Amino acid sequence: MEKNTKVKLGLIGLGTVGTGVVKVLKDFDNIEITKIAVKNINKKRDIDNLDTSLLTTDPFEIVNDPNIDMVVEVIGGMDPAYDLLKTAIENKKHIVTANKELLAKKGQELFNLANQNNVVILYEAAIAGGIPIIMPIKTTLAGNKINKIEAILNGTTNYILTKMEKEGVSYEEVLKEAQKLGYAETDPTGDVEGFDSAYKIATLATIALNQRVDINKIYREGITKISAKDMQNAKELGYKIKLIALARLTQDNKADVRVHPMLVPVKDCLASINGVTNSVVLEGFPVGRVMFAGPGAGEFPTASSVLGDILAITNSLGSTDILPFMKCNHNKSAEQIDINDTTNKYYLSVTATNTPGVIGTIGEICGRHNISLASVLQKGIDEKNTAEIVVITEECKENDINSAIEEIKNNSTIVKINNLIRVME
Amino acid sequence: MEKNTKVKLGLIGLGTVGTGVVKVLKDFDNIEITKIAVKNINKKRDIDNLDTSLLTTDPFEIVNDPNIDMVVEVIGGMDPAYDLLKTAIENKKHIVTANKELLAKKGQELFNLANQNNVVILYEAAIAGGIPIIMPIKTTLAGNKINKIEAILNGTTNYILTKMEKEGVSYEEVLKEAQKLGYAETDPTGDVEGFDSAYKIATLATIALNQRVDINKIYREGITKISAKDMQNAKELGYKIKLIALARLTQDNKADVRVHPMLVPVKDCLASINGVTNSVVLEGFPVGRVMFAGPGAGEFPTASSVLGDILAITNSLGSTDILPFMKCNHNKSAEQIDINDTTNKYYLSVTATNTPGVIGTIGEICGRHNISLASVLQKGIDEKNTAEIVVITEECKENDINSAIEEIKNNSTIVKINNLIRVME
């Protein structure tokens, strides 16, 4: 197309992010929104002078419109987003999307389809909201072999964990409050059970490790079992508890990708990421360790990333070639290891009867399973004459800690296994 | 040029960074180093199988070689780097440079010359070492109006300040140790007086604020006057002291760009940037506040950024157009405000005779100069019957604090003004 004509953009979705996109695009004369697909055409919108003649309830009007150069999809979910984007790509439209679930589940297919049709899919907004992370990996860090990602990718859970930590209250209590304030959804499963983080780390790890990571093979554990006591214990031991999305290459180049809560040493920069903020730490060669942090969601931060992608496509529309950094084709499947084959440090909390030698018993059982203890904390004896015993192990195999726990559980001095949480080194 | 031929690269400089560049380029088959300019051709190099036939002591051989596509300059300083890059650009070679001083002093001229010759100058490594910051601003954040940068851009001074803080020792003592360890140069002026940070913020602010910032109008103050006492006082008041490179747009769109020590609230993410780590915090619309942190110097981190730029040029050599994000032409000069016209919060430490009402006197003088006090700290009385009094002011005009200090200095109860340090909000 001619460089001086306006780029014609179709927007699918006019919720929080879509509204932000319309607002920020007002300042860009060279980009014209020609159609906006909405669910409810009569809903009042928080946009000044919105031209309601642009609205349609049929998103297929957009993906089939021959005049539209670029489709911006901000509805999320699989249906109808998957069909819409497939059709748009087949119709040779460039795509900007914030849809982490779709990318995690259908990324490979869509990226290959885009490649065949000589269009690009950009998705900076799908991972860590306003934080520039995909583009830096594809440009400045392009020459690196990245071997580790540690990230906080879900604002809702980080908000809940931060509140629990600062106020010493239970998960249930904070969740209720977060729901009232609109920080958590009525059905919070997607966030609190780690699905959202898993979608994001699937795509982020694919780009950073340069291998296609399968969402179905990502181990996932949420934050619902974290107690106020765990928070307190972690604090006493010099840690905070965060929901961490983790990806690393093992020495034999296998991918260890997972989402679960972790005790993070207070000195680690991720420990100081509070509230709804997101953060991504990358480790690689030659760069070493770099950190990115910022708003992981919200109308304007997300619109910032969508806008960056729109401009990248707009600016390259006159070029003959699609530059490598605009593509995302990772067809080499990662060999993902099972959580049982990983090694970790662990936080283990048990309730035991107040009998002499119970710590010794735990230590002895762990020892027999090749597990050394790094620290032990015994909490006050309660009215039932039981005590909470907390240990932090040295690095050991997940399989070994599981067998050790089976044995500890069956020991007569142990009343209850309270929690097992992995610990960041 | 054909996309499948090798890109021919000339390297000027084989010090720490140059050595890193040679090492990391070994893995890239499509890029060939055809010449390397060095000072001493016989010096032993820490590079396996270095082809010494590539070495030359005449860097002009490189910039005048018609077979070379791209010049990578990592010698630093003005002379001969300025002449070399000018010649290279006139000979239509793309440039990758880590030379912050050259960019700060001659950036405008060189970028315009590059534009005329249809080549690009990339310089990710010149600012904040391995941290991706220039490319994110030019791509993902391209649609933002950035109105504030707060950054730690010099590893040497941050190392010294961190050591002073952790160990309670004097500036002089830490400097000596840093020099022994090679973290500070024999003549540390460039680092400790803030020149290095000023060069970096000049270019960073130019890109981020989208206006040409004049290095000569950047207010600059180093860390040599920070005492162990200041460090201790800051800690007691809930702050750390950091050398901050600051750039912000005033409400009437003027540029306030400066480098000086600041008390940073411990809760601010910049307070936790320790040792030689660098960090850049950007604030803008629509993104909000984003933070980047990582290694600000060193062989491999710097090589990572140089490599990213080399790959960006290599990947775009087949394209017909130079993409906007590869250019850097900011010919609109920023209207830079004088330090005397800024407003700040201040930390003021004075030594006063132990007479009743001396804090009242300071408060009264400040009040008459439109300055409110936010907190006051009185330190123990010494053998001379004097005491140290420390105040933190509310935000006030630099001019007002200066007149207030003139008056405080002349007050009979005041023995000495110890230090005045600006405070981050």
Side-chain angles (χ1 to χ4, degrees):
Chain A
M1 62 173 286
E2 289 296 312
K3 284 197 99 172
N4 292 328
T5 52
K6 280 196 179 190
V7 173
K8 292 195 169 55
L9 183 154
L11 177 64
I12 302 178
L14 196 53
T16 306
V17 178
T19 301
V21 171
V22 172
K23 286 178 186 170
V24 299
L25 274 176
K26 289 216 164 152
D27 295 332
F28 293 84
D29 292 341
N30 56 333
I31 300 164
E32 185 186 348
I33 303 179
T34 57
K35 249 177 214 152
I36 304 173
V38 296
K39 256 194 211 160
N40 177 355
I41 216 154
N42 297 314
K43 189 176 161 185
K44 230 182 118 48
R45 311 278 169 183
D46 171 29
I47 299 171
D48 292 339
N49 307 319
L50 176 67
D51 179 357
T52 52
S53 74
L54 303 179
L55 303 183
T56 170
T57 53
D58 178 12
F60 283 92
E61 258 186 44
I62 289 177
V63 296
N64 286 315
D65 184 337
N67 291 316
I68 284 176
D69 305 301
M70 187 190 323
V71 171
V72 177
E73 181 266 309
V74 288
I75 48 174
M78 297 303 289
D79 181 28
Y82 172 55
D83 286 334
L84 286 167
L85 291 203
K86 236 175 98 170
T87 309
I89 294 165
E90 283 163 352
N91 287 331
K92 315 238 181 276
K93 298 181 195 320
H94 296 289
I95 306 290
V96 175
T97 176
N99 195 330
K100 61 242 168 189
E101 184 179 355
L102 180 61
L103 291 171
K105 293 181 177 170
K106 296 286 180 185
Q108 184 168 21
E109 181 190 333
L110 292 175
F111 287 117
N112 284 333
L113 191 65
N115 217 25
Q116 286 161 30
N117 285 280
N118 209 31
V119 293
V120 298
I121 305 172
L122 298 185
Y123 50 90
E124 186 68 75
I127 291 130
I131 306 173
I133 183 70
I134 301 300
M135 203 64 106
I137 292 174
K138 292 206 265 177
T139 57
T140 307
L141 300 173
N144 277 265
K145 182 170 171 71
I146 295 171
N147 50 43
K148 196 182 198 180
I149 308 169
E150 289 167 343
I152 294 172
L153 296 175
N154 181 272
T156 304
T157 46
N158 205 55
Y159 172 87
I160 292 172
L161 293 172
T162 306
K163 270 266 179 186
M164 286 175 68
E165 171 215 326
K166 305 262 185 227
E167 296 172 11
V169 286
S170 74
Y171 164 76
E172 290 76 15
E173 204 171 314
V174 181
L175 175 65
K176 256 184 222 155
E177 195 202 319
Q179 285 172 319
K180 256 190 218 159
L181 292 168
Y183 290 164
E185 299 189 42
T186 319
D187 175 3
T189 313
D191 293 315
V192 301
E193 294 294 357
F195 289 96
D196 177 79
S197 296
Y199 296 147
K200 290 167 176 168
I201 193 72
T203 300
L204 183 56
T206 295
I207 307 308
L209 306 183
N210 210 10
Q211 308 180 19
R212 175 63 54 190
V213 170
D214 183 348
I215 178 72
N216 299 309
K217 292 181 187 158
I218 294 179
Y219 176 79
R220 182 189 44 73
E221 194 182 305
I223 63 161
T224 57
K225 286 174 207 144
I226 306 292
S227 70
K229 262 190 183 171
D230 293 325
M231 276 288 172
Q232 182 55 35
N233 295 338
K235 200 182 231 171
E236 287 175 35
L237 291 158
Y239 297 90
K240 295 196 181 183
I241 301 179
K242 299 286 181 188
L243 182 65
I244 299 293
L246 181 76
R248 58 181 173 197
L249 285 183
T250 62
Q251 286 187 328
D252 49 353
N253 221 30
K254 292 177 183 168
D256 174 8
V257 187
R258 35 184 161 133
V259 173
H260 51 59
M262 286 189 104
L263 269 71
V264 179
V266 285
K267 286 196 169 182
D268 190 287
C269 51
L270 285 173
S272 57
I273 300 299
N274 290 325
V276 296
T277 304
N278 278 199
S279 180
V280 178
V281 176
L282 301 177
E283 259 182 54
F285 180 82
V287 75
R289 190 174 161 92
V290 283
M291 183 209 202
F292 306 75
E299 176 178 356
F300 288 116
T302 312
S304 167
S305 288
V306 171
L307 179 58
D309 285 347
I310 292 173
L311 294 176
I313 291 173
T314 303
N315 290 332
S316 63
L317 277 178
S319 281
T320 42
D321 295 300
I322 292 176
L323 293 180
F325 77 88
M326 306 278 276
K327 296 187 192 172
C328 175
N329 297 89
H330 300 86
N331 285 315
K332 190 194 149 208
S333 289
E335 194 176 331
Q336 283 169 256
I337 62 171
D338 191 87
I339 188 73
N340 288 314
D341 297 328
T342 63
T343 59
N344 303 278
K345 294 182 73 169
Y346 297 88
Y347 158 102
L348 171 66
S349 158
V350 304
T351 302
T353 54
N354 180 29
T355 36
V358 59
I359 291 177
T361 304
I362 294 171
E364 185 272 324
I365 296 173
C366 284
R368 266 193 290 108
H369 290 271
N370 311 308
I371 301 163
S372 304
L373 303 187
S375 40
V376 179
L377 193 69
Q378 171 156 2
K379 308 303 294 276
I381 294 144
D382 65 11
E383 67 281 2
K384 292 179 197 151
N385 201 32
T386 64
E388 187 184 7
I389 295 163
V390 174
V391 301
I392 303 268
T393 72
E394 297 290 1
E395 188 142 303
C396 65
K397 291 186 180 161
E398 178 101 2
N399 260 335
D400 286 341
I401 191 85
N402 283 334
S403 348
I405 287 174
E406 269 315 298
E407 204 172 315
I408 292 168
K409 205 194 297 187
N410 294 324
N411 189 283
S412 60
T413 61
I414 302 297
V415 179
K416 201 170 110 207
I417 306 286
N418 299 312
N419 215 341
L420 178 74
I421 309 173
R422 294 170 195 86
V423 177
M424 191 179 279
E425 283 168 82
Chain B
M1 64 171 285
E2 289 295 313
K3 284 197 101 172
N4 292 327
T5 51
K6 279 195 179 190
V7 173
K8 293 196 169 54
L9 183 155
L11 177 63
I12 302 178
L14 197 54
T16 305
V17 178
T19 300
V21 171
V22 172
K23 286 178 185 170
V24 300
L25 275 176
K26 289 215 164 155
D27 296 332
F28 293 84
D29 291 341
N30 56 331
I31 300 163
E32 185 186 348
I33 303 179
T34 58
K35 248 175 216 156
I36 304 173
V38 296
K39 258 194 210 159
N40 177 354
I41 216 155
N42 297 315
K43 188 175 163 186
K44 230 183 116 49
R45 311 279 170 181
D46 171 30
I47 299 172
D48 291 340
N49 307 318
L50 176 68
D51 179 356
T52 52
S53 75
L54 303 179
L55 303 184
T56 170
T57 52
D58 178 12
F60 282 92
E61 258 186 44
I62 289 177
V63 297
N64 286 315
D65 184 337
N67 291 317
I68 284 177
D69 304 301
M70 188 190 323
V71 171
V72 176
E73 181 266 310
V74 288
I75 48 174
M78 297 303 289
D79 182 27
Y82 172 55
D83 286 333
L84 286 167
L85 291 203
K86 237 174 98 169
T87 309
I89 294 166
E90 283 162 352
N91 287 331
K92 315 237 181 277
K93 296 180 196 322
H94 296 289
I95 307 291
V96 175
T97 176
N99 194 329
K100 60 242 166 188
E101 184 179 357
L102 180 61
L103 291 171
K105 292 181 178 170
K106 297 286 180 184
Q108 183 168 21
E109 181 191 332
L110 292 175
F111 288 117
N112 285 334
L113 191 65
N115 218 25
Q116 286 159 30
N117 286 281
N118 209 31
V119 293
V120 298
I121 305 173
L122 298 186
Y123 51 91
E124 187 67 74
I127 292 129
I131 305 173
I133 184 69
I134 300 300
M135 203 62 108
I137 292 173
K138 292 206 265 178
T139 57
T140 307
L141 300 173
N144 277 267
K145 182 171 171 69
I146 296 172
N147 50 44
K148 196 181 199 182
I149 308 168
E150 289 167 342
I152 294 172
L153 295 176
N154 181 272
T156 304
T157 45
N158 205 55
Y159 172 86
I160 292 173
L161 293 172
T162 306
K163 270 266 180 185
M164 286 175 67
E165 171 214 327
K166 305 262 185 227
E167 296 173 12
V169 285
S170 74
Y171 164 76
E172 290 75 16
E173 204 170 314
V174 181
L175 175 65
K176 255 183 225 158
E177 195 201 320
Q179 284 171 321
K180 255 190 219 159
L181 291 167
Y183 290 164
E185 298 189 43
T186 319
D187 175 4
T189 314
D191 293 316
V192 302
E193 295 294 358
F195 289 96
D196 178 80
S197 295
Y199 295 146
K200 290 167 175 168
I201 193 72
T203 299
L204 183 56
T206 296
I207 307 307
L209 306 183
N210 210 8
Q211 308 180 21
R212 175 64 53 190
V213 170
D214 183 349
I215 178 73
N216 299 310
K217 293 182 186 156
I218 294 179
Y219 176 80
R220 182 188 45 72
E221 193 182 305
I223 63 161
T224 57
K225 286 175 208 146
I226 306 291
S227 70
K229 263 191 184 173
D230 293 325
M231 275 288 171
Q232 182 55 35
N233 295 338
K235 199 182 230 171
E236 286 175 35
L237 291 158
Y239 296 90
K240 295 197 179 182
I241 301 180
K242 298 287 180 188
L243 182 65
I244 299 293
L246 181 76
R248 58 183 173 196
L249 285 183
T250 63
Q251 286 187 328
D252 49 352
N253 220 29
K254 292 178 183 167
D256 174 8
V257 188
R258 35 184 162 131
V259 173
H260 51 59
M262 288 188 103
L263 269 70
V264 179
V266 284
K267 285 196 169 183
D268 190 288
C269 51
L270 285 174
S272 57
I273 300 298
N274 290 324
V276 296
T277 304
N278 278 199
S279 180
V280 178
V281 176
L282 301 176
E283 260 182 53
F285 181 83
V287 74
R289 190 174 160 91
V290 282
M291 183 210 202
F292 305 75
E299 176 178 355
F300 288 116
T302 312
S304 166
S305 288
V306 171
L307 179 58
D309 285 348
I310 292 173
L311 294 176
I313 291 173
T314 302
N315 289 333
S316 64
L317 278 178
S319 281
T320 41
D321 296 301
I322 292 176
L323 293 180
F325 78 88
M326 307 277 275
K327 296 187 192 172
C328 176
N329 297 89
H330 301 85
N331 285 315
K332 189 194 148 210
S333 289
E335 194 177 331
Q336 283 169 254
I337 62 170
D338 191 86
I339 188 74
N340 289 314
D341 297 327
T342 63
T343 59
N344 303 279
K345 293 183 72 169
Y346 297 88
Y347 157 101
L348 171 65
S349 158
V350 304
T351 301
T353 55
N354 179 30
T355 36
V358 59
I359 290 177
T361 304
I362 294 172
E364 186 272 323
I365 296 174
C366 285
R368 265 193 290 106
H369 291 272
N370 311 308
I371 301 164
S372 303
L373 302 187
S375 41
V376 179
L377 193 68
Q378 170 154 5
K379 308 304 294 279
I381 295 143
D382 65 10
E383 66 281 2
K384 294 179 197 151
N385 201 30
T386 64
E388 186 184 7
I389 295 163
V390 174
V391 301
I392 304 270
T393 71
E394 297 291 0
E395 187 141 303
C396 65
K397 291 185 181 162
E398 178 101 2
N399 260 335
D400 286 340
I401 191 84
N402 283 334
S403 351
I405 286 175
E406 270 313 300
E407 204 171 314
I408 292 169
K409 204 194 297 187
N410 294 324
N411 189 284
S412 60
T413 61
I414 302 297
V415 179
K416 200 170 114 212
I417 305 287
N418 299 312
N419 215 342
L420 178 75
I421 309 173
R422 295 169 194 86
V423 177
M424 191 179 279
E425 284 168 82

